PDB file of all heavy atoms in Angstrom:
ATOM      1  N   GLU J  49     -23.742  43.564   2.358  1.00 55.00           N
ATOM      2  CA  GLU J  49     -23.416  43.300   0.949  1.00 55.00           C
ATOM      3  C   GLU J  49     -23.132  41.814   0.734  1.00 55.00           C
ATOM      4  O   GLU J  49     -23.470  41.232  -0.294  1.00 55.00           O
ATOM      5  CB  GLU J  49     -22.242  44.168   0.458  1.00 55.00           C
ATOM      6  CG  GLU J  49     -20.927  43.998   1.199  1.00 55.00           C
ATOM      7  CD  GLU J  49     -20.818  44.863   2.447  1.00 55.00           C
ATOM      8  OE1 GLU J  49     -21.843  45.317   2.973  1.00 55.00           O
ATOM      9  OE2 GLU J  49     -19.672  45.071   2.920  1.00 55.00           O
ATOM     10  N   PHE J  50     -22.535  41.198   1.752  1.00 57.00           N
ATOM     11  CA  PHE J  50     -22.232  39.767   1.649  1.00 57.00           C
ATOM     12  C   PHE J  50     -23.529  38.960   1.704  1.00 57.00           C
ATOM     13  O   PHE J  50     -23.733  38.014   0.958  1.00 57.00           O
ATOM     14  CB  PHE J  50     -21.302  39.381   2.797  1.00 57.00           C
ATOM     15  CG  PHE J  50     -20.892  37.937   2.783  1.00 57.00           C
ATOM     16  CD1 PHE J  50     -20.019  37.477   1.831  1.00 57.00           C
ATOM     17  CD2 PHE J  50     -21.384  37.063   3.731  1.00 57.00           C
ATOM     18  CE1 PHE J  50     -19.645  36.147   1.821  1.00 57.00           C
ATOM     19  CE2 PHE J  50     -21.019  35.742   3.722  1.00 57.00           C
ATOM     20  CZ  PHE J  50     -20.149  35.286   2.765  1.00 57.00           C
ATOM     21  N   TYR J  51     -24.434  39.408   2.587  1.00 56.00           N
ATOM     22  CA  TYR J  51     -25.725  38.732   2.720  1.00 56.00           C
ATOM     23  C   TYR J  51     -26.471  38.796   1.392  1.00 56.00           C
ATOM     24  O   TYR J  51     -26.989  37.798   0.897  1.00 56.00           O
ATOM     25  CB  TYR J  51     -26.542  39.413   3.821  1.00 56.00           C
ATOM     26  CG  TYR J  51     -27.978  38.951   3.903  1.00 56.00           C
ATOM     27  CD1 TYR J  51     -28.286  37.715   4.443  1.00 56.00           C
ATOM     28  CD2 TYR J  51     -29.006  39.760   3.444  1.00 56.00           C
ATOM     29  CE1 TYR J  51     -29.586  37.283   4.518  1.00 56.00           C
ATOM     30  CE2 TYR J  51     -30.319  39.341   3.515  1.00 56.00           C
ATOM     31  CZ  TYR J  51     -30.610  38.095   4.055  1.00 56.00           C
ATOM     32  OH  TYR J  51     -31.915  37.679   4.122  1.00 56.00           O
ATOM     33  N   GLU J  52     -26.502  40.006   0.796  1.00 48.00           N
ATOM     34  CA  GLU J  52     -27.259  40.170  -0.446  1.00 48.00           C
ATOM     35  C   GLU J  52     -26.648  39.345  -1.569  1.00 48.00           C
ATOM     36  O   GLU J  52     -27.330  38.716  -2.350  1.00 48.00           O
ATOM     37  CB  GLU J  52     -27.327  41.654  -0.813  1.00 48.00           C
ATOM     38  CG  GLU J  52     -28.325  42.367   0.106  1.00 48.00           C
ATOM     39  CD  GLU J  52     -28.302  43.875  -0.032  1.00 48.00           C
ATOM     40  OE1 GLU J  52     -27.388  44.386  -0.709  1.00 48.00           O
ATOM     41  OE2 GLU J  52     -29.194  44.512   0.554  1.00 48.00           O
ATOM     42  N   ARG J  53     -25.332  39.336  -1.610  1.00 47.00           N
ATOM     43  CA  ARG J  53     -24.660  38.541  -2.643  1.00 47.00           C
ATOM     44  C   ARG J  53     -24.917  37.045  -2.416  1.00 47.00           C
ATOM     45  O   ARG J  53     -25.258  36.313  -3.313  1.00 47.00           O
ATOM     46  CB  ARG J  53     -23.153  38.819  -2.609  1.00 47.00           C
ATOM     47  CG  ARG J  53     -22.427  38.303  -3.802  1.00 47.00           C
ATOM     48  CD  ARG J  53     -21.129  39.002  -4.012  1.00 47.00           C
ATOM     49  NE  ARG J  53     -20.502  39.470  -2.779  1.00 47.00           N
ATOM     50  CZ  ARG J  53     -19.197  39.494  -2.613  1.00 47.00           C
ATOM     51  NH1 ARG J  53     -18.413  39.075  -3.545  1.00 47.00           N
ATOM     52  NH2 ARG J  53     -18.674  39.950  -1.495  1.00 47.00           N
ATOM     53  N   GLY J  54     -24.822  36.691  -1.151  1.00 46.00           N
ATOM     54  CA  GLY J  54     -24.991  35.281  -0.794  1.00 46.00           C
ATOM     55  C   GLY J  54     -26.381  34.760  -1.108  1.00 46.00           C
ATOM     56  O   GLY J  54     -26.563  33.649  -1.547  1.00 46.00           O
ATOM     57  N   ARG J  55     -27.378  35.637  -0.925  1.00 40.00           N
ATOM     58  CA  ARG J  55     -28.769  35.196  -1.156  1.00 40.00           C
ATOM     59  C   ARG J  55     -28.997  34.822  -2.605  1.00 40.00           C
ATOM     60  O   ARG J  55     -29.771  33.946  -2.911  1.00 40.00           O
ATOM     61  CB  ARG J  55     -29.724  36.329  -0.801  1.00 40.00           C
ATOM     62  CG  ARG J  55     -30.070  36.359   0.635  1.00 40.00           C
ATOM     63  CD  ARG J  55     -31.176  37.311   0.839  1.00 40.00           C
ATOM     64  NE  ARG J  55     -32.428  36.613   0.650  1.00 40.00           N
ATOM     65  CZ  ARG J  55     -33.551  36.958   1.263  1.00 40.00           C
ATOM     66  NH1 ARG J  55     -33.574  37.971   2.056  1.00 40.00           N
ATOM     67  NH2 ARG J  55     -34.650  36.283   1.063  1.00 40.00           N
ATOM     68  N   PHE J  56     -28.362  35.538  -3.499  1.00 32.00           N
ATOM     69  CA  PHE J  56     -28.671  35.316  -4.902  1.00 32.00           C
ATOM     70  C   PHE J  56     -27.655  34.413  -5.581  1.00 32.00           C
ATOM     71  O   PHE J  56     -27.811  34.091  -6.724  1.00 32.00           O
ATOM     72  CB  PHE J  56     -28.793  36.667  -5.619  1.00 32.00           C
ATOM     73  CG  PHE J  56     -29.886  37.500  -5.024  1.00 32.00           C
ATOM     74  CD1 PHE J  56     -29.607  38.579  -4.202  1.00 32.00           C
ATOM     75  CD2 PHE J  56     -31.205  37.136  -5.213  1.00 32.00           C
ATOM     76  CE1 PHE J  56     -30.627  39.310  -3.616  1.00 32.00           C
ATOM     77  CE2 PHE J  56     -32.237  37.868  -4.623  1.00 32.00           C
ATOM     78  CZ  PHE J  56     -31.942  38.962  -3.827  1.00 32.00           C
ATOM     79  N   LEU J  57     -26.620  34.036  -4.838  1.00 34.00           N
ATOM     80  CA  LEU J  57     -25.619  33.139  -5.438  1.00 34.00           C
ATOM     81  C   LEU J  57     -26.191  31.785  -5.846  1.00 34.00           C
ATOM     82  O   LEU J  57     -25.977  31.353  -6.972  1.00 34.00           O
ATOM     83  CB  LEU J  57     -24.464  32.910  -4.455  1.00 34.00           C
ATOM     84  CG  LEU J  57     -23.202  33.727  -4.687  1.00 34.00           C
ATOM     85  CD1 LEU J  57     -22.183  33.391  -3.620  1.00 34.00           C
ATOM     86  CD2 LEU J  57     -22.621  33.471  -6.057  1.00 34.00           C
ATOM     87  N   PRO J  58     -26.922  31.133  -4.963  1.00 32.00           N
ATOM     88  CA  PRO J  58     -27.375  29.787  -5.331  1.00 32.00           C
ATOM     89  C   PRO J  58     -28.565  29.830  -6.284  1.00 32.00           C
ATOM     90  O   PRO J  58     -29.603  29.291  -6.010  1.00 32.00           O
ATOM     91  CB  PRO J  58     -27.751  29.149  -3.988  1.00 32.00           C
ATOM     92  CG  PRO J  58     -27.518  30.181  -2.938  1.00 32.00           C
ATOM     93  CD  PRO J  58     -27.376  31.474  -3.625  1.00 32.00           C
ATOM     94  N   GLU J  59     -28.426  30.539  -7.407  1.00 30.00           N
ATOM     95  CA  GLU J  59     -29.520  30.721  -8.339  1.00 30.00           C
ATOM     96  C   GLU J  59     -30.000  29.382  -8.885  1.00 30.00           C
ATOM     97  O   GLU J  59     -29.188  28.545  -9.258  1.00 30.00           O
ATOM     98  CB  GLU J  59     -29.043  31.598  -9.493  1.00 30.00           C
ATOM     99  CG  GLU J  59     -30.150  32.332 -10.189  1.00 30.00           C
ATOM    100  CD  GLU J  59     -29.567  33.315 -11.173  1.00 30.00           C
ATOM    101  OE1 GLU J  59     -29.035  34.339 -10.742  1.00 30.00           O
ATOM    102  OE2 GLU J  59     -29.622  33.029 -12.360  1.00 30.00           O
ATOM    103  N   GLY J  60     -31.311  29.238  -8.922  1.00 33.00           N
ATOM    104  CA  GLY J  60     -31.859  28.027  -9.511  1.00 33.00           C
ATOM    105  C   GLY J  60     -31.805  26.818  -8.603  1.00 33.00           C
ATOM    106  O   GLY J  60     -32.276  25.757  -8.955  1.00 33.00           O
ATOM    107  N   ARG J  61     -31.231  26.985  -7.407  1.00 33.00           N
ATOM    108  CA  ARG J  61     -31.178  25.830  -6.508  1.00 33.00           C
ATOM    109  C   ARG J  61     -32.520  25.653  -5.829  1.00 33.00           C
ATOM    110  O   ARG J  61     -33.224  26.624  -5.566  1.00 33.00           O
ATOM    111  CB  ARG J  61     -30.099  26.056  -5.445  1.00 33.00           C
ATOM    112  CG  ARG J  61     -28.739  25.883  -6.046  1.00 33.00           C
ATOM    113  CD  ARG J  61     -27.752  25.592  -4.952  1.00 33.00           C
ATOM    114  NE  ARG J  61     -26.440  25.498  -5.591  1.00 33.00           N
ATOM    115  CZ  ARG J  61     -25.394  26.182  -5.199  1.00 33.00           C
ATOM    116  NH1 ARG J  61     -25.452  26.963  -4.170  1.00 33.00           N
ATOM    117  NH2 ARG J  61     -24.261  26.057  -5.836  1.00 33.00           N
ATOM    118  N   PRO J  62     -32.881  24.436  -5.518  1.00 33.00           N
ATOM    119  CA  PRO J  62     -34.159  24.217  -4.847  1.00 33.00           C
ATOM    120  C   PRO J  62     -34.170  24.844  -3.459  1.00 33.00           C
ATOM    121  O   PRO J  62     -33.111  25.110  -2.892  1.00 33.00           O
ATOM    122  CB  PRO J  62     -34.242  22.687  -4.756  1.00 33.00           C
ATOM    123  CG  PRO J  62     -32.845  22.212  -4.913  1.00 33.00           C
ATOM    124  CD  PRO J  62     -32.125  23.230  -5.723  1.00 33.00           C
ATOM    125  N   GLU J  63     -35.364  25.077  -2.945  1.00 34.00           N
ATOM    126  CA  GLU J  63     -35.500  25.598  -1.583  1.00 34.00           C
ATOM    127  C   GLU J  63     -34.810  24.656  -0.609  1.00 34.00           C
ATOM    128  O   GLU J  63     -34.891  23.442  -0.748  1.00 34.00           O
ATOM    129  CB  GLU J  63     -36.979  25.708  -1.208  1.00 34.00           C
ATOM    130  CG  GLU J  63     -37.662  26.943  -1.759  1.00 34.00           C
ATOM    131  CD  GLU J  63     -37.115  28.226  -1.166  1.00 34.00           C
ATOM    132  OE1 GLU J  63     -37.105  28.333   0.058  1.00 34.00           O
ATOM    133  OE2 GLU J  63     -36.692  29.092  -1.933  1.00 34.00           O
ATOM    134  N   GLN J  64     -34.140  25.227   0.361  1.00 34.00           N
ATOM    135  CA  GLN J  64     -33.365  24.386   1.262  1.00 34.00           C
ATOM    136  C   GLN J  64     -34.142  24.091   2.535  1.00 34.00           C
ATOM    137  O   GLN J  64     -34.610  25.010   3.192  1.00 34.00           O
ATOM    138  CB  GLN J  64     -32.056  25.085   1.600  1.00 34.00           C
ATOM    139  CG  GLN J  64     -31.180  25.162   0.388  1.00 34.00           C
ATOM    140  CD  GLN J  64     -30.166  26.270   0.507  1.00 34.00           C
ATOM    141  OE1 GLN J  64     -30.322  27.207   1.267  1.00 34.00           O
ATOM    142  NE2 GLN J  64     -29.110  26.163  -0.271  1.00 34.00           N
ATOM    143  N   GLY J  65     -34.249  22.843   2.835  1.00 34.00           N
ATOM    144  CA  GLY J  65     -34.939  22.424   4.050  1.00 34.00           C
ATOM    145  C   GLY J  65     -34.026  22.541   5.245  1.00 34.00           C
ATOM    146  O   GLY J  65     -32.867  22.888   5.099  1.00 34.00           O
ATOM    147  N   PRO J  66     -34.532  22.234   6.443  1.00 35.00           N
ATOM    148  CA  PRO J  66     -33.724  22.402   7.645  1.00 35.00           C
ATOM    149  C   PRO J  66     -32.449  21.588   7.643  1.00 35.00           C
ATOM    150  O   PRO J  66     -31.455  22.010   8.196  1.00 35.00           O
ATOM    151  CB  PRO J  66     -34.650  21.928   8.766  1.00 35.00           C
ATOM    152  CG  PRO J  66     -36.008  21.823   8.181  1.00 35.00           C
ATOM    153  CD  PRO J  66     -35.862  21.753   6.713  1.00 35.00           C
ATOM    154  N   SER J  67     -32.461  20.427   6.997  1.00 37.00           N
ATOM    155  CA  SER J  67     -31.269  19.591   7.066  1.00 37.00           C
ATOM    156  C   SER J  67     -30.344  19.816   5.877  1.00 37.00           C
ATOM    157  O   SER J  67     -29.244  19.311   5.855  1.00 37.00           O
ATOM    158  CB  SER J  67     -31.676  18.124   7.112  1.00 37.00           C
ATOM    159  OG  SER J  67     -32.343  17.804   5.926  1.00 37.00           O
ATOM    160  N   ALA J  68     -30.833  20.593   4.886  1.00 37.00           N
ATOM    161  CA  ALA J  68     -29.999  20.790   3.708  1.00 37.00           C
ATOM    162  C   ALA J  68     -28.941  21.833   3.994  1.00 37.00           C
ATOM    163  O   ALA J  68     -29.113  22.685   4.860  1.00 37.00           O
ATOM    164  CB  ALA J  68     -30.867  21.255   2.553  1.00 37.00           C
ATOM    165  N   PRO J  69     -27.819  21.793   3.255  1.00 38.00           N
ATOM    166  CA  PRO J  69     -26.829  22.829   3.438  1.00 38.00           C
ATOM    167  C   PRO J  69     -27.408  24.179   3.044  1.00 38.00           C
ATOM    168  O   PRO J  69     -28.241  24.248   2.144  1.00 38.00           O
ATOM    169  CB  PRO J  69     -25.715  22.425   2.487  1.00 38.00           C
ATOM    170  CG  PRO J  69     -26.179  21.250   1.753  1.00 38.00           C
ATOM    171  CD  PRO J  69     -27.484  20.823   2.259  1.00 38.00           C
ATOM    172  N   VAL J  70     -26.994  25.221   3.702  1.00 39.00           N
ATOM    173  CA  VAL J  70     -27.531  26.538   3.380  1.00 39.00           C
ATOM    174  C   VAL J  70     -26.404  27.450   2.930  1.00 39.00           C
ATOM    175  O   VAL J  70     -25.243  27.201   3.210  1.00 39.00           O
ATOM    176  CB  VAL J  70     -28.230  27.175   4.603  1.00 39.00           C
ATOM    177  CG1 VAL J  70     -29.452  26.388   4.990  1.00 39.00           C
ATOM    178  CG2 VAL J  70     -27.281  27.297   5.765  1.00 39.00           C
ATOM    179  N   SER J  71     -26.793  28.492   2.240  1.00 36.00           N
ATOM    180  CA  SER J  71     -25.829  29.504   1.842  1.00 36.00           C
ATOM    181  C   SER J  71     -25.253  30.121   3.111  1.00 36.00           C
ATOM    182  O   SER J  71     -25.942  30.215   4.128  1.00 36.00           O
ATOM    183  CB  SER J  71     -26.556  30.549   1.011  1.00 36.00           C
ATOM    184  OG  SER J  71     -26.036  31.809   1.282  1.00 36.00           O
ATOM    185  N   PRO J  72     -24.009  30.578   3.087  1.00 39.00           N
ATOM    186  CA  PRO J  72     -23.431  31.130   4.308  1.00 39.00           C
ATOM    187  C   PRO J  72     -24.216  32.315   4.832  1.00 39.00           C
ATOM    188  O   PRO J  72     -24.145  32.654   5.984  1.00 39.00           O
ATOM    189  CB  PRO J  72     -22.039  31.566   3.865  1.00 39.00           C
ATOM    190  CG  PRO J  72     -22.080  31.611   2.381  1.00 39.00           C
ATOM    191  CD  PRO J  72     -23.090  30.599   1.971  1.00 39.00           C
ATOM    192  N   ALA J  73     -24.973  32.961   3.943  1.00 38.00           N
ATOM    193  CA  ALA J  73     -25.676  34.156   4.370  1.00 38.00           C
ATOM    194  C   ALA J  73     -27.007  33.846   5.034  1.00 38.00           C
ATOM    195  O   ALA J  73     -27.593  34.683   5.663  1.00 38.00           O
ATOM    196  CB  ALA J  73     -25.919  35.043   3.168  1.00 38.00           C
ATOM    197  N   VAL J  74     -27.491  32.648   4.860  1.00 37.00           N
ATOM    198  CA  VAL J  74     -28.812  32.325   5.383  1.00 37.00           C
ATOM    199  C   VAL J  74     -28.679  31.469   6.628  1.00 37.00           C
ATOM    200  O   VAL J  74     -28.144  30.372   6.563  1.00 37.00           O
ATOM    201  CB  VAL J  74     -29.637  31.544   4.321  1.00 37.00           C
ATOM    202  CG1 VAL J  74     -31.044  31.307   4.821  1.00 37.00           C
ATOM    203  CG2 VAL J  74     -29.661  32.331   3.020  1.00 37.00           C
ATOM    204  N   PRO J  75     -29.129  31.971   7.778  1.00 39.00           N
ATOM    205  CA  PRO J  75     -29.011  31.164   8.987  1.00 39.00           C
ATOM    206  C   PRO J  75     -29.815  29.884   8.855  1.00 39.00           C
ATOM    207  O   PRO J  75     -30.808  29.837   8.129  1.00 39.00           O
ATOM    208  CB  PRO J  75     -29.619  32.050  10.081  1.00 39.00           C
ATOM    209  CG  PRO J  75     -29.705  33.412   9.497  1.00 39.00           C
ATOM    210  CD  PRO J  75     -29.779  33.252   8.025  1.00 39.00           C
ATOM    211  N   SER J  76     -29.383  28.873   9.550  1.00 41.00           N
ATOM    212  CA  SER J  76     -30.064  27.587   9.513  1.00 41.00           C
ATOM    213  C   SER J  76     -31.510  27.751   9.957  1.00 41.00           C
ATOM    214  O   SER J  76     -31.812  28.557  10.829  1.00 41.00           O
ATOM    215  CB  SER J  76     -29.329  26.634  10.457  1.00 41.00           C
ATOM    216  OG  SER J  76     -30.109  25.520  10.698  1.00 41.00           O
ATOM    217  N   ALA J  77     -32.387  26.969   9.340  1.00 40.00           N
ATOM    218  CA  ALA J  77     -33.794  27.053   9.715  1.00 40.00           C
ATOM    219  C   ALA J  77     -33.972  26.633  11.173  1.00 40.00           C
ATOM    220  O   ALA J  77     -34.733  27.217  11.917  1.00 40.00           O
ATOM    221  CB  ALA J  77     -34.616  26.167   8.803  1.00 40.00           C
ATOM    222  N   ALA J  78     -33.259  25.607  11.550  1.00 44.00           N
ATOM    223  CA  ALA J  78     -33.289  25.220  12.959  1.00 44.00           C
ATOM    224  C   ALA J  78     -32.132  25.943  13.618  1.00 44.00           C
ATOM    225  O   ALA J  78     -30.994  25.566  13.457  1.00 44.00           O
ATOM    226  CB  ALA J  78     -33.122  23.719  13.087  1.00 44.00           C
ATOM    227  N   GLU J  79     -32.428  27.027  14.329  1.00 47.00           N
ATOM    228  CA  GLU J  79     -31.348  27.894  14.792  1.00 47.00           C
ATOM    229  C   GLU J  79     -30.485  27.259  15.868  1.00 47.00           C
ATOM    230  O   GLU J  79     -29.391  27.701  16.130  1.00 47.00           O
ATOM    231  CB  GLU J  79     -31.922  29.217  15.272  1.00 47.00           C
ATOM    232  CG  GLU J  79     -32.170  30.142  14.101  1.00 47.00           C
ATOM    233  CD  GLU J  79     -32.943  31.382  14.502  1.00 47.00           C
ATOM    234  OE1 GLU J  79     -33.511  31.396  15.603  1.00 47.00           O
ATOM    235  OE2 GLU J  79     -32.954  32.306  13.700  1.00 47.00           O
ATOM    236  N   ALA J  80     -31.015  26.212  16.499  1.00 58.00           N
ATOM    237  CA  ALA J  80     -30.217  25.553  17.522  1.00 58.00           C
ATOM    238  C   ALA J  80     -29.074  24.786  16.873  1.00 58.00           C
ATOM    239  O   ALA J  80     -28.111  24.428  17.520  1.00 58.00           O
ATOM    240  CB  ALA J  80     -31.087  24.599  18.306  1.00 58.00           C
TER     241      ALA J  80
END
Side-chain angles (χ1 to χ4, degrees):
Chain J
E49 60 274 20
F50 181 71
Y51 171 75
E52 285 171 351
R53 193 158 30 146
R55 274 190 88 151
F56 300 105
L57 260 179
E59 205 172 287
R61 286 201 183 127
E63 280 294 306
Q64 292 158 339
S67 63
V70 294
S71 144
V74 185
S76 166
E79 278 171 346

